[in-house]
Amino acid sequence: MKTVQTDVAIIGAGSAGLPAYRAAKAAGASAILIEGGPYGTTCARVGCMPSKLLIAAAEAAHSASRTAPFGVHVDGTIRIDGREVMARVKGERDRFVGFVVESTEAIPEADRLIGYARFIDDGLLQVGDHTRVRARSVVIATGSSPFVPEMYRALGDRAIVNDDVFAWEDLPRKVAVVGAGVIGLELGQALSRLGVDVTVVGARGRVGPLSDPAVKDYAGKVFASEFRFEARAEVQAVSREGDSVTMRYRIGAGSGSGSEQVVEDTFDYVLVTAGRRANVSGLALENTTLVLDKDGVPVYDPLTLQAGTHPVFIAGDVNGVLPLLHEAADEGRSAGTNAAKFPDVVPLVRRAPISVVFSDPGVAMVGSRFADLVPDSFVVGEVSFEDQGRSRIMLRNRGLMHVYVDKVTRQFVGAEWIGPDAEHIAHLLAWALQMKLTVDAMLEMPFYHPVVEEGLRTALRGAVAGLRVSGE
């Protein structure tokens, strides 16, 4: 057993840990990066990149099946080869992972430790069975893992999480997706468009991240037109027989319609997308004087990422705030800098909130959610993409957008929508929000013709009309 000294110890070499290490070094501190699993981030291995590869295959299949309305006829049937689909997904995924691994291994060997870390006391870490690290500051960037409720664990390998999808050699015949959040909708729609019989069941009427009732209702109908989508269902029982899973669930409960129905169906797999949990159970945080919340995560300041008055900083998915790559990277840089300069700690300046579901049509949110805005403090501008010019030209005319504008300041404060090119429009709105633009300044910006963004202009004009009505 050897003991090493360092200014900053970073636990986790992922999307937050790597920037934390680089920031600490840039601040002039010594730093050690500790990783227990294989190098390569969650995003590259089982998150952003492989899921978008699967979605890209699904988009290709969907586009090929919709040429006839344009007068373009493809003779014969479209054949989807599941093995070829998954081979490309895994091959390109491995390429992306390789870039991350190469970058990580370029870090000096003396600054890298392989092994799972646990706290011996506030400033002393045990790494594997070979090294102890005495650190002046610690950054916890251990990420998160999919959560599987107890009732599904008895299904063995027939209950899977999104990580497992990207290990498939071939596409299955029939899948139930439990959870109607971002991951559930993205993978559910992609698998459906690749010929898999998909049922998505949610528990609380959720449709991705949406909180605006009208937009959420519209989006729910869009997804229900492609696969079986029950946004408000109660799974009553699951059982396994051989390589099949039988699920019984109740729909209509609490909807007020009075038409409850119990459905029983059989699937090859149950894909559980019931949220994620912080990876803290192996850190032995009970050996420290850190104050822990009910989930065992250190209580920390969301601005400085500091745990109480301790030289410990919590960054990335492990803190559960915004589990997005760019947010994890920003937090990692802030945590690494603060750890290196402790006790000189400065708050993290967050960027404009932006969230995207890579579905088709896309779902996006920017700024404040509808549910979080103070009632009567804002007006809503609306556009339907059903008659929007460019959207109709492309036969991608499904969507509804709501933009929110403050009545007093006339500033754009947020938006929720489903529609074509949502991921690109989201960036325009995030930039406008971060620049604190008014709706008037946004309408002074150029809008080319004919483009989908003209729909955004319609919504902004609607907000201006709403301000006139409200007397602002």
Side-chain angles (χ1 to χ4, degrees):
M1 179 75 64
K2 65 177 180 178
T3 300
V4 296
Q5 299 273 346
T6 189
D7 293 329
V8 182
I10 300 104
I11 309 174
S15 296
L18 287 167
Y21 166 81
R22 296 184 182 112
K25 296 291 283 188
S30 60
I32 290 178
L33 186 65
I34 305 166
E35 176 57 67
Y39 289 147
T41 63
T42 294
C43 173
R45 285 191 177 278
V46 293
C48 323
M49 306 314 285
S51 66
K52 302 314 167 285
L53 283 160
L54 191 71
I55 289 167
E59 288 175 345
H62 186 65
S63 296
S65 70
R66 298 180 69 251
T67 62
F70 295 98
V72 178
H73 300 278
V74 178
D75 294 333
T77 59
I78 297 168
R79 183 177 63 87
I80 298 171
D81 188 313
R83 289 188 173 276
E84 291 182 6
V85 168
M86 295 311 301
R88 179 175 188 267
V89 168
K90 290 192 287 186
E92 286 295 302
R93 182 271 313 273
D94 291 347
R95 181 171 173 269
F96 289 120
V97 170
F99 294 146
V100 180
V101 172
E102 184 178 313
S103 173
T104 307
E105 291 180 342
I107 292 171
E109 190 172 352
D111 287 358
R112 291 185 282 120
L113 279 177
I114 299 295
Y116 289 99
R118 61 187 182 89
F119 282 86
I120 301 299
D121 59 37
D122 282 1
L124 182 63
L125 299 170
Q126 172 90 36
V127 181
D129 58 1
H130 51 80
T131 307
R132 287 190 170 184
V133 177
R134 175 64 70 180
R136 182 171 58 83
S137 300
V138 177
V139 176
I140 298 175
T142 47
S144 63
S145 298
F147 172 68
V148 179
E150 184 64 35
M151 72 181 299
Y152 299 105
R153 295 177 193 170
L155 301 177
D157 62 4
R158 294 289 118 176
I160 60 172
V161 296
N162 60 292
D163 301 28
D164 302 315
V165 169
F166 309 117
W168 282 342
E169 296 295 327
D170 199 353
L171 293 170
R173 180 187 59 87
K174 193 171 182 180
V175 172
V177 180
V178 177
V182 173
I183 295 173
L185 291 180
E186 285 187 351
L187 294 182
Q189 185 184 56
L191 291 173
S192 175
R193 289 185 169 187
L194 288 168
V196 179
D197 186 343
V198 170
T199 296
V200 176
V201 294
R204 298 179 298 277
R206 184 180 181 188
V207 183
L210 296 170
S211 74
D212 187 307
V215 179
K216 182 167 66 172
D217 181 64
Y218 188 102
K221 291 175 181 176
V222 168
F223 291 117
S225 70
E226 292 202 29
F227 49 83
R228 180 153 196 170
F229 180 43
E230 303 292 350
R232 196 176 298 276
E234 176 192 356
V235 179
Q236 297 179 322
V238 290
S239 60
R240 175 172 177 170
E241 295 182 14
D243 286 338
S244 296
V245 174
T246 298
M247 174 187 289
R248 186 175 72 246
Y249 59 94
R250 182 175 60 165
I251 58 177
S255 65
S257 65
S259 57
E260 292 186 14
Q261 178 185 358
V262 175
V263 178
E264 188 168 287
D265 206 346
T266 302
F267 305 91
D268 297 328
Y269 292 97
V270 175
L271 170 57
V272 182
T273 63
R276 300 177 71 87
R277 296 293 184 270
N279 293 332
V280 293
S281 61
L283 293 177
L285 291 168
E286 65 276 9
N287 293 334
T288 71
T289 58
L290 295 168
V291 177
L292 308 181
D293 66 16
K294 61 181 179 59
D295 297 316
V297 178
V299 176
Y300 69 98
D301 183 334
L303 296 178
T304 64
L305 306 178
Q306 183 182 0
T309 59
H310 297 263
V312 175
F313 300 86
I314 319 298
D317 288 9
V318 68
N319 67 32
V321 178
L322 291 166
L324 303 167
L325 181 141
H326 66 279
E327 294 287 352
D330 286 350
E331 290 182 1
R333 282 187 287 270
S334 176
T337 301
N338 281 339
K341 296 184 175 182
F342 183 84
D344 183 13
V345 173
V346 297
L348 165 66
V349 179
R350 290 196 181 272
R351 309 184 202 212
I354 178 172
S355 177
V356 175
V357 181
F358 290 88
S359 54
D360 178 31
V363 173
M365 297 173 59
V366 170
S368 298
R369 301 188 319 150
F370 176 88
D372 297 333
L373 291 167
V374 176
D376 298 323
S377 70
F378 65 101
V379 296
V380 178
E382 177 179 296
V383 64
S384 167
F385 287 95
E386 293 180 2
D387 288 319
Q388 198 276 322
R390 183 66 185 278
S391 301
R392 285 195 67 87
I393 287 171
M394 299 184 294
L395 286 180
R396 297 173 59 205
N397 53 316
R398 294 186 298 171
L400 178 67
M401 168 183 266
H402 280 181
V403 299
Y404 315 125
V405 174
D406 185 88
K407 287 183 177 180
V408 175
T409 65
R410 300 178 71 91
Q411 282 186 358
F412 166 71
V413 294
E416 297 189 27
W417 75 102
I418 178 172
D421 294 339
E423 64 188 277
H424 305 300
I425 296 174
H427 284 81
L428 296 180
L429 289 178
W431 294 355
L433 181 70
Q434 192 155 314
M435 295 173 68
K436 297 181 169 52
L437 295 185
T438 64
V439 63
D440 311 287
M442 294 168 72
L443 282 169
E444 290 173 357
M445 299 297 181
F447 288 84
Y448 206 78
H449 175 77
V451 293
V452 176
E453 285 79 1
E454 288 178 297
L456 167 60
R457 182 175 61 185
T458 299
L460 294 173
R461 286 172 172 171
V464 170
L467 290 171
R468 291 196 196 101
V469 172
S470 67
E472 301 297 335

